[in-house]
């Protein structure tokens, strides 16, 4: 527990570091993500949690990155994505191992450049936020098995 506390404290101090929390279901990965947020310099900003499991790629794309009016049938107005709403704070992607393969390159671009486009958008947007992800899957095995893109592995 002391080693975990030391690692959490180190990660919290570095507000631009992307973190990957791994462990079995029910071991407190979400709790650790909240603690990292609360102990860090982004504590005054929002903590936005998204569960990547069980959501379609299309829905999750719109949830994370937002969409422009008319981007699809039900897009009656522009919608900010959860990454935009996390401006100045932390976004926590739970169950990142379940992320649809078609979304992995878009997330990789975001991790690399901190820019993205809303669904149906033409303009690059930038946000200032920290990203923490969690999974109960063995992402290294998933990369070897072709289930998770090597270039998208966070840790």
């Amino acid at each position: 527990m002391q080693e975990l506390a030391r690692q959490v404290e180190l990660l919290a101090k570095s507000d631009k570091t992307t973190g990957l929390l791994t462990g079995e279901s029910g071991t407190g990965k979400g709790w650790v993500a909240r603690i990292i947020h609360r102990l860090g310099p982004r504590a005054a900003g929002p903590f936005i949690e998204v569960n990547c499991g069980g959501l379609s790629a299309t829905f999750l794309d719109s949830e994370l990155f937002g969409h422009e009016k008319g981007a699809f049938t039900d897009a009656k107005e522009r919608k900010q994505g959860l990454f935009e709403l996390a401006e100045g704070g932390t976004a926590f992607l739970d169950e990142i191992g379940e992320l649809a393969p078609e979304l992995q390159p878009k997330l990789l671009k975001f991790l690399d450049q901190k820019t993205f486009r809303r669904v149906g958008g033409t303009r690059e947007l930038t946000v200032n936020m920290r990203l923490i992800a969690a999974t109960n899957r063995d992402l290294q095995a998933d990369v070897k098995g072709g289930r998770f893109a090597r270039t998208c592995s966070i840790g």
Side-chain angles (χ1 to χ4, degrees), residues 21-32 34 51 92 94-95 134-137:
L21 306 173
T22 61
E24 295 179 22
S25 293
T27 56
K29 295 178 296 292
W31 177 78
V32 170
R34 283 181 198 82
N51 189 316
F92 173 55
D94 200 8
E95 303 296 342
T135 186
N136 62 358
R137 299 178 61 99

Side-chain angles (χ1 to χ4, degrees), residues 49-60:
E49 184 172 350
V50 183
N51 189 316
C52 298
L55 299 176
S56 72
T58 304
F59 183 74
L60 188 56

Side-chain angles (χ1 to χ4, degrees), residues 86-143:
E87 175 70 32
T90 303
F92 173 55
L93 300 182
D94 200 8
E95 303 296 342
I96 191 71
E98 304 301 322
L99 186 68
E102 55 268 35
L103 274 182
Q104 292 175 16
K106 193 168 182 177
L107 180 60
L108 173 65
K109 179 183 178 205
F110 176 76
L111 288 170
D112 187 43
Q113 301 173 6
K114 293 291 188 240
T115 64
F116 64 95
R117 289 185 194 157
R118 291 187 191 113
V119 175
T122 56
R123 189 169 74 96
E124 292 289 323
L125 302 171
T126 303
V127 294
N128 176 12
M129 59 157 241
R130 159 184 269 166
L131 182 73
I132 300 174
T135 186
N136 62 358
R137 299 178 61 99
D138 181 348
L139 288 186
Q140 290 180 339
D142 285 352
V143 167

Side-chain angles (χ1 to χ4, degrees), residues 72-91:
F72 48 85
T73 305
D74 290 333
K76 305 216 184 309
E77 58 188 45
R78 188 185 98 206
K79 176 188 168 199
Q80 287 186 312
L82 296 175
F83 283 177
E84 285 179 83
L85 297 175
E87 175 70 32
T90 303

